[in-house]
Amino acid sequence: MRLNINNISEMYKNGEKISAITAYDFTFASLADSVGFPIILVGDSLGQVALGYDSTVPVTMSDMLIHVKSVVRGAKRSLIIADMPFMSYQSDISDAISNAGRLIKEGGAQSVKLEGGEKIANTVAKIVDCGIPVMGHIGLTPQSVNQLGGYKVQGKSEKEKEKLIADAKAIESAGAYSIVLELIKSDLAEEITKEISIPTIGIGSGPNCSGQIQVIHDVLGLSLGESYKHSRQYLDLRKSVPEALKQYLKDSNSGDFPSSKESF
Ligand code: KIV
């Protein structure tokens, strides 16, 4: 049976770590589901890793819906959270509600995630009022990369620190059931985790969050470019996949493949 937000709250109350991973398609969703991740996030990071953009900014509702549907078909047990893409919730509350509704109703996700703190708390509250569970996301909010001026660690100054604590509290008060803390200094992430009563899911925010989330491409060594300090790579698929493909290309070109065993 599929997990729901009550199961996540129970894990939190029992002091269990809440481990989450992203997935963007049927195959990887079924693999993540099969090993027992309670949460799969269809992140708008698909903009970079699946669609080849240089940020999450160009991702559209249509992009999200295709990937969310695919993940929902692949994962039978995990709670599926769909990211609301840039400008699908910022300009107008009724747009935000209808786009959140599409991700649940058409996409089949059980929850949505929105980036931002106090400024979007009212939008979060209205979506929650419609019966749609919301995960918040503060700290580094990649949809605002053009305003933040890059992907930097957040919460360094006293002012930033106070703002992040206020943001977390505002999102909790708006009715979110959990919140992602991205690239927040470990001691501040720990403080936020203690200050609020919903689970914090960290990425690059140290060990004292209620759980962790990672982008699946980083974990499997599929991401382009250098690896991130906040990720741990468990496989090197950027090396082993081309090796396998090269061997198939060679065998096919030489006539070694298919053999009589592989023919009818
Ligand atoms: O889009 C995404 O993958 C995310 C996670 C990094 C939390 O928002």
Side-chain angles (χ1 to χ4, degrees):
M1 218 175 68
R2 196 178 291 284
L3 299 180
N4 58 49
I5 61 164
N6 294 336
N7 301 115
I8 304 302
S9 301
E10 271 163 38
M11 289 177 76
Y12 172 67
K13 280 181 202 139
N14 294 337
E16 286 173 59
K17 286 282 187 193
I18 302 163
S19 304
I21 190 137
T22 66
Y24 314 99
D25 67 12
F26 176 87
T27 303
F28 281 99
S30 64
L31 292 171
D33 192 57
S34 72
V35 301
F37 281 98
I39 291 177
I40 295 180
L41 169 71
V42 190
D44 59 355
S45 49
L46 69 83
Q48 288 108 314
V49 301
L51 302 178
Y53 296 129
D54 63 3
S55 75
T56 59
V57 170
V59 175
T60 63
M61 276 296 296
S62 311
D63 296 331
M64 287 306 304
L65 281 166
I66 290 172
H67 289 272
V68 170
K69 286 180 191 175
S70 169
V71 166
V72 169
R73 285 192 290 267
K76 302 289 174 233
R77 178 180 173 273
S78 312
L79 174 81
I80 311 294
I81 304 174
D83 251 339
M84 294 198 67
F86 184 52
M87 294 318 288
S88 68
Y89 58 95
Q90 288 92 340
S91 61
D92 182 80
I93 290 196
S94 80
D95 272 359
I97 293 172
S98 78
N99 285 325
R102 288 189 70 196
L103 291 166
I104 304 294
K105 201 169 166 174
E106 290 175 45
Q110 291 81 54
S111 162
V112 295
K113 175 165 81 59
L114 281 71
E115 293 182 7
E118 282 177 298
K119 281 189 193 148
I120 62 143
N122 192 29
T123 307
V124 169
K126 293 279 189 243
I127 295 174
V128 172
D129 274 352
C130 295
I132 299 175
V134 172
M135 173 183 257
H137 182 158
I138 62 165
L140 175 74
T141 46
Q143 291 175 9
S144 308
V145 61
N146 292 311
Q147 194 171 44
L148 295 171
Y151 300 100
K152 301 177 202 152
V153 176
Q154 305 292 304
K156 286 187 173 164
S157 69
E158 202 50 39
K159 199 170 154 205
E160 270 182 19
K161 197 176 144 184
E162 277 164 23
K163 166 134 185 37
L164 284 170
I165 293 173
D167 281 341
K169 287 184 174 170
I171 294 301
E172 178 186 24
S173 302
Y177 67 94
S178 67
I179 185 163
V180 166
L181 305 184
E182 180 162 357
L183 276 197
I184 293 179
K185 287 183 73 211
S186 303
D187 51 352
L188 176 56
E190 183 177 7
E191 191 177 336
I192 293 172
T193 302
K194 284 185 182 146
E195 289 270 339
I196 60 177
S197 308
I198 54 173
T200 57
I201 311 296
I203 173 161
S205 299
N208 294 314
C209 298
S210 321
Q212 298 291 325
I213 182 159
Q214 285 283 293
V215 169
I216 196 163
H217 287 57
D218 296 338
V219 169
L220 300 180
L222 262 176
S223 300
L224 286 170
E226 61 200 78
S227 53
Y228 299 110
K229 177 177 160 70
H230 65 262
S231 295
R232 188 177 295 175
Q233 191 183 313
Y234 292 85
L235 261 183
D236 193 356
L237 288 185
R238 281 207 83 78
K239 188 162 171 262
S240 50
V241 171
E243 276 168 9
L245 293 178
K246 215 155 116 190
Q247 193 57 47
Y248 161 55
L249 180 65
K250 191 169 155 235
D251 293 350
S252 173
N253 285 345
S254 70
D256 182 70
F257 175 85
S259 66
S260 57
K261 268 202 212 150
E262 287 150 340
S263 306
F264 299 96

